[in-house]
Amino acid sequence: MLRWIVALAVAVALAGCDATPEMAAPVVKETPPAMVAPDFGTSTRIGLLRKRGKLKVGDSLERALDLFQPPKRAREFSELPSRLTKPYRADGWEANAEGFGVITFEDRVAAAVHTLNQATEDQVTELVNAYQDELRAVPELVAGEVSRYWFWELPRMRPGSAPGSSAADVHQRLMIVAVRNPSGTFVLTEAMGDVFAMNAIRANIYAAKNDVPIADAAATAKAGQAGH
């Protein structure tokens, strides 16, 4: 099954460690989100880019699966992330080269994740630049030796709301993660969604700040094992 943005687990697995390194205290305390419905009320520029269009929060499940069609022999899955329960639903597929998963609420997209398993540095750069141009904003970067995260968050300005008001605080998030493989390529993940659903799959800056140093420690441990 496609991993739902537990980037540390991906990094440790890719590093090939025989033992998990000693866990440091979290940099930032993560609080499990309370179960709420997504906000489908308005829209932002955030969405997953494809040549045939963009997948956005509130789109139909049918559109999601049309834009991200599985290759032959892809394995389907429907397991929800552990922090979400019905009426949320998960659909997706994974193949050797890539995977896609979408979380819906009443058949409308709450979050979506697309992963390439062997991306080049050029592909990483091109993807970050494409979203920076699309969103017209510079992302916030969290980076280590093994993994890099880019985050964009856009407020949903409802009619009549002022910046900073409670009506303008609800937002959507886009995240890109590049985790280095031992071969020098990258597991490249792009994820977008309503902020609640993104938090539920740990696609947020707090989880990134916690995971980056642990992933680096895992890589260091692997390098030490190889040196003996």
Side-chain angles (χ1 to χ4, degrees), residues 15-37:
C17 292
D18 296 324
T20 301
E22 183 178 350
M23 298 288 285
V27 176
V28 181
K29 183 178 180 181
E30 297 179 52
T31 303
M35 191 65 59
V36 298

PDB file of all heavy atoms in Angstrom, residues 15-37:
ATOM      1  N   ALA A  15      16.986   3.987   3.425  1.00  0.00           N
ATOM      2  CA  ALA A  15      18.366   3.979   3.893  1.00  0.00           C
ATOM      3  C   ALA A  15      18.854   2.564   4.130  1.00  0.00           C
ATOM      4  O   ALA A  15      20.044   2.321   4.247  1.00  0.00           O
ATOM      5  CB  ALA A  15      18.488   4.802   5.172  1.00  0.00           C
ATOM      6  N   GLY A  16      17.920   1.605   4.243  1.00  0.00           N
ATOM      7  CA  GLY A  16      18.295   0.206   4.380  1.00  0.00           C
ATOM      8  C   GLY A  16      18.834  -0.142   5.746  1.00  0.00           C
ATOM      9  O   GLY A  16      19.672  -1.041   5.883  1.00  0.00           O
ATOM     10  N   CYS A  17      18.396   0.569   6.757  1.00  0.00           N
ATOM     11  CA  CYS A  17      18.939   0.338   8.094  1.00  0.00           C
ATOM     12  C   CYS A  17      18.467  -0.994   8.648  1.00  0.00           C
ATOM     13  O   CYS A  17      17.308  -1.360   8.508  1.00  0.00           O
ATOM     14  CB  CYS A  17      18.503   1.459   9.044  1.00  0.00           C
ATOM     15  SG  CYS A  17      19.257   3.043   8.642  1.00  0.00           S
ATOM     16  N   ASP A  18      19.366  -1.683   9.310  1.00  0.00           N
ATOM     17  CA  ASP A  18      19.007  -2.934   9.972  1.00  0.00           C
ATOM     18  C   ASP A  18      18.387  -2.677  11.325  1.00  0.00           C
ATOM     19  O   ASP A  18      17.711  -3.525  11.878  1.00  0.00           O
ATOM     20  CB  ASP A  18      20.249  -3.817  10.141  1.00  0.00           C
ATOM     21  CG  ASP A  18      20.810  -4.234   8.790  1.00  0.00           C
ATOM     22  OD1 ASP A  18      20.002  -4.457   7.871  1.00  0.00           O
ATOM     23  OD2 ASP A  18      22.038  -4.323   8.660  1.00  0.00           O
ATOM     24  N   ALA A  19      18.656  -1.506  11.877  1.00  0.00           N
ATOM     25  CA  ALA A  19      18.097  -1.156  13.180  1.00  0.00           C
ATOM     26  C   ALA A  19      17.730   0.313  13.157  1.00  0.00           C
ATOM     27  O   ALA A  19      18.429   1.138  12.576  1.00  0.00           O
ATOM     28  CB  ALA A  19      19.110  -1.418  14.297  1.00  0.00           C
ATOM     29  N   THR A  20      16.622   0.658  13.799  1.00  0.00           N
ATOM     30  CA  THR A  20      16.199   2.045  13.873  1.00  0.00           C
ATOM     31  C   THR A  20      17.109   2.798  14.815  1.00  0.00           C
ATOM     32  O   THR A  20      17.396   2.318  15.907  1.00  0.00           O
ATOM     33  CB  THR A  20      14.744   2.137  14.389  1.00  0.00           C
ATOM     34  OG1 THR A  20      13.917   1.395  13.495  1.00  0.00           O
ATOM     35  CG2 THR A  20      14.274   3.582  14.446  1.00  0.00           C
ATOM     36  N   PRO A  21      17.594   3.996  14.433  1.00  0.00           N
ATOM     37  CA  PRO A  21      18.460   4.747  15.321  1.00  0.00           C
ATOM     38  C   PRO A  21      17.719   5.203  16.561  1.00  0.00           C
ATOM     39  O   PRO A  21      16.495   5.262  16.583  1.00  0.00           O
ATOM     40  CB  PRO A  21      18.878   5.951  14.464  1.00  0.00           C
ATOM     41  CG  PRO A  21      17.800   6.091  13.453  1.00  0.00           C
ATOM     42  CD  PRO A  21      17.320   4.692  13.180  1.00  0.00           C
ATOM     43  N   GLU A  22      18.497   5.556  17.579  1.00  0.00           N
ATOM     44  CA  GLU A  22      17.896   6.017  18.824  1.00  0.00           C
ATOM     45  C   GLU A  22      17.031   7.233  18.544  1.00  0.00           C
ATOM     46  O   GLU A  22      17.443   8.171  17.866  1.00  0.00           O
ATOM     47  CB  GLU A  22      18.999   6.390  19.822  1.00  0.00           C
ATOM     48  CG  GLU A  22      18.447   6.827  21.176  1.00  0.00           C
ATOM     49  CD  GLU A  22      19.558   7.144  22.152  1.00  0.00           C
ATOM     50  OE1 GLU A  22      20.722   6.840  21.830  1.00  0.00           O
ATOM     51  OE2 GLU A  22      19.255   7.674  23.228  1.00  0.00           O
ATOM     52  N   MET A  23      15.810   7.218  19.053  1.00  0.00           N
ATOM     53  CA  MET A  23      14.853   8.276  18.765  1.00  0.00           C
ATOM     54  C   MET A  23      15.129   9.484  19.642  1.00  0.00           C
ATOM     55  O   MET A  23      15.152   9.378  20.872  1.00  0.00           O
ATOM     56  CB  MET A  23      13.425   7.776  19.007  1.00  0.00           C
ATOM     57  CG  MET A  23      13.013   6.620  18.113  1.00  0.00           C
ATOM     58  SD  MET A  23      12.756   7.118  16.410  1.00  0.00           S
ATOM     59  CE  MET A  23      11.179   7.950  16.574  1.00  0.00           C
ATOM     60  N   ALA A  24      15.335  10.638  19.019  1.00  0.00           N
ATOM     61  CA  ALA A  24      15.490  11.866  19.772  1.00  0.00           C
ATOM     62  C   ALA A  24      14.122  12.403  20.158  1.00  0.00           C
ATOM     63  O   ALA A  24      13.101  12.009  19.600  1.00  0.00           O
ATOM     64  CB  ALA A  24      16.225  12.902  18.917  1.00  0.00           C
ATOM     65  N   ALA A  25      14.119  13.322  21.134  1.00  0.00           N
ATOM     66  CA  ALA A  25      12.860  13.951  21.523  1.00  0.00           C
ATOM     67  C   ALA A  25      12.323  14.753  20.345  1.00  0.00           C
ATOM     68  O   ALA A  25      13.094  15.347  19.582  1.00  0.00           O
ATOM     69  CB  ALA A  25      13.088  14.874  22.716  1.00  0.00           C
ATOM     70  N   PRO A  26      11.003  14.763  20.118  1.00  0.00           N
ATOM     71  CA  PRO A  26      10.448  15.508  18.996  1.00  0.00           C
ATOM     72  C   PRO A  26      10.832  16.979  19.046  1.00  0.00           C
ATOM     73  O   PRO A  26      10.892  17.586  20.115  1.00  0.00           O
ATOM     74  CB  PRO A  26       8.929  15.335  19.168  1.00  0.00           C
ATOM     75  CG  PRO A  26       8.779  14.096  19.985  1.00  0.00           C
ATOM     76  CD  PRO A  26       9.974  14.070  20.892  1.00  0.00           C
ATOM     77  N   VAL A  27      11.119  17.540  17.878  1.00  0.00           N
ATOM     78  CA  VAL A  27      11.420  18.964  17.807  1.00  0.00           C
ATOM     79  C   VAL A  27      10.169  19.774  18.129  1.00  0.00           C
ATOM     80  O   VAL A  27      10.213  20.777  18.826  1.00  0.00           O
ATOM     81  CB  VAL A  27      11.932  19.320  16.396  1.00  0.00           C
ATOM     82  CG1 VAL A  27      12.166  20.820  16.267  1.00  0.00           C
ATOM     83  CG2 VAL A  27      13.215  18.552  16.092  1.00  0.00           C
ATOM     84  N   VAL A  28       9.044  19.327  17.623  1.00  0.00           N
ATOM     85  CA  VAL A  28       7.757  19.985  17.841  1.00  0.00           C
ATOM     86  C   VAL A  28       6.744  18.923  18.227  1.00  0.00           C
ATOM     87  O   VAL A  28       6.674  17.870  17.598  1.00  0.00           O
ATOM     88  CB  VAL A  28       7.277  20.718  16.568  1.00  0.00           C
ATOM     89  CG1 VAL A  28       5.956  21.425  16.829  1.00  0.00           C
ATOM     90  CG2 VAL A  28       8.330  21.699  16.072  1.00  0.00           C
ATOM     91  N   LYS A  29       5.950  19.178  19.258  1.00  0.00           N
ATOM     92  CA  LYS A  29       4.938  18.221  19.663  1.00  0.00           C
ATOM     93  C   LYS A  29       3.811  18.193  18.648  1.00  0.00           C
ATOM     94  O   LYS A  29       3.262  19.227  18.280  1.00  0.00           O
ATOM     95  CB  LYS A  29       4.374  18.586  21.040  1.00  0.00           C
ATOM     96  CG  LYS A  29       3.344  17.581  21.556  1.00  0.00           C
ATOM     97  CD  LYS A  29       2.850  17.950  22.930  1.00  0.00           C
ATOM     98  CE  LYS A  29       1.822  16.936  23.425  1.00  0.00           C
ATOM     99  NZ  LYS A  29       1.295  17.296  24.765  1.00  0.00           N
ATOM    100  N   GLU A  30       3.465  16.995  18.166  1.00  0.00           N
ATOM    101  CA  GLU A  30       2.373  16.825  17.213  1.00  0.00           C
ATOM    102  C   GLU A  30       1.110  16.411  17.958  1.00  0.00           C
ATOM    103  O   GLU A  30       1.126  15.479  18.749  1.00  0.00           O
ATOM    104  CB  GLU A  30       2.726  15.761  16.180  1.00  0.00           C
ATOM    105  CG  GLU A  30       3.906  16.115  15.316  1.00  0.00           C
ATOM    106  CD  GLU A  30       4.218  15.010  14.327  1.00  0.00           C
ATOM    107  OE1 GLU A  30       3.293  14.585  13.602  1.00  0.00           O
ATOM    108  OE2 GLU A  30       5.366  14.546  14.299  1.00  0.00           O
ATOM    109  N   THR A  31       0.029  17.105  17.695  1.00  0.00           N
ATOM    110  CA  THR A  31      -1.252  16.798  18.330  1.00  0.00           C
ATOM    111  C   THR A  31      -2.173  16.149  17.316  1.00  0.00           C
ATOM    112  O   THR A  31      -2.436  16.730  16.266  1.00  0.00           O
ATOM    113  CB  THR A  31      -1.917  18.083  18.868  1.00  0.00           C
ATOM    114  OG1 THR A  31      -1.020  18.718  19.769  1.00  0.00           O
ATOM    115  CG2 THR A  31      -3.221  17.749  19.568  1.00  0.00           C
ATOM    116  N   PRO A  32      -2.654  14.921  17.588  1.00  0.00           N
ATOM    117  CA  PRO A  32      -3.575  14.276  16.648  1.00  0.00           C
ATOM    118  C   PRO A  32      -4.793  15.155  16.407  1.00  0.00           C
ATOM    119  O   PRO A  32      -5.365  15.716  17.341  1.00  0.00           O
ATOM    120  CB  PRO A  32      -3.968  12.977  17.363  1.00  0.00           C
ATOM    121  CG  PRO A  32      -2.848  12.721  18.312  1.00  0.00           C
ATOM    122  CD  PRO A  32      -2.371  14.067  18.755  1.00  0.00           C
ATOM    123  N   PRO A  33      -5.207  15.329  15.165  1.00  0.00           N
ATOM    124  CA  PRO A  33      -6.328  16.215  14.871  1.00  0.00           C
ATOM    125  C   PRO A  33      -7.657  15.622  15.290  1.00  0.00           C
ATOM    126  O   PRO A  33      -7.847  14.416  15.264  1.00  0.00           O
ATOM    127  CB  PRO A  33      -6.269  16.357  13.343  1.00  0.00           C
ATOM    128  CG  PRO A  33      -5.624  15.080  12.888  1.00  0.00           C
ATOM    129  CD  PRO A  33      -4.652  14.709  13.960  1.00  0.00           C
ATOM    130  N   ALA A  34      -8.580  16.493  15.730  1.00  0.00           N
ATOM    131  CA  ALA A  34      -9.944  16.053  15.987  1.00  0.00           C
ATOM    132  C   ALA A  34     -10.633  15.822  14.648  1.00  0.00           C
ATOM    133  O   ALA A  34     -10.323  16.468  13.657  1.00  0.00           O
ATOM    134  CB  ALA A  34     -10.689  17.103  16.801  1.00  0.00           C
ATOM    135  N   MET A  35     -11.552  14.865  14.614  1.00  0.00           N
ATOM    136  CA  MET A  35     -12.206  14.516  13.358  1.00  0.00           C
ATOM    137  C   MET A  35     -13.196  15.604  12.944  1.00  0.00           C
ATOM    138  O   MET A  35     -14.141  15.905  13.673  1.00  0.00           O
ATOM    139  CB  MET A  35     -12.937  13.184  13.518  1.00  0.00           C
ATOM    140  CG  MET A  35     -13.427  12.602  12.213  1.00  0.00           C
ATOM    141  SD  MET A  35     -12.082  12.132  11.093  1.00  0.00           S
ATOM    142  CE  MET A  35     -11.187  10.948  12.097  1.00  0.00           C
ATOM    143  N   VAL A  36     -12.936  16.215  11.796  1.00  0.00           N
ATOM    144  CA  VAL A  36     -13.835  17.240  11.262  1.00  0.00           C
ATOM    145  C   VAL A  36     -14.018  16.997   9.768  1.00  0.00           C
ATOM    146  O   VAL A  36     -13.226  16.300   9.138  1.00  0.00           O
ATOM    147  CB  VAL A  36     -13.287  18.667  11.493  1.00  0.00           C
ATOM    148  CG1 VAL A  36     -13.158  18.966  12.964  1.00  0.00           C
ATOM    149  CG2 VAL A  36     -11.947  18.850  10.790  1.00  0.00           C
ATOM    150  N   ALA A  37     -15.040  17.612   9.207  1.00  0.00           N
ATOM    151  CA  ALA A  37     -15.273  17.528   7.767  1.00  0.00           C
ATOM    152  C   ALA A  37     -14.403  18.550   7.050  1.00  0.00           C
ATOM    153  O   ALA A  37     -14.067  19.592   7.611  1.00  0.00           O
ATOM    154  CB  ALA A  37     -16.743  17.787   7.468  1.00  0.00           C
TER     155      ALA A  37
END
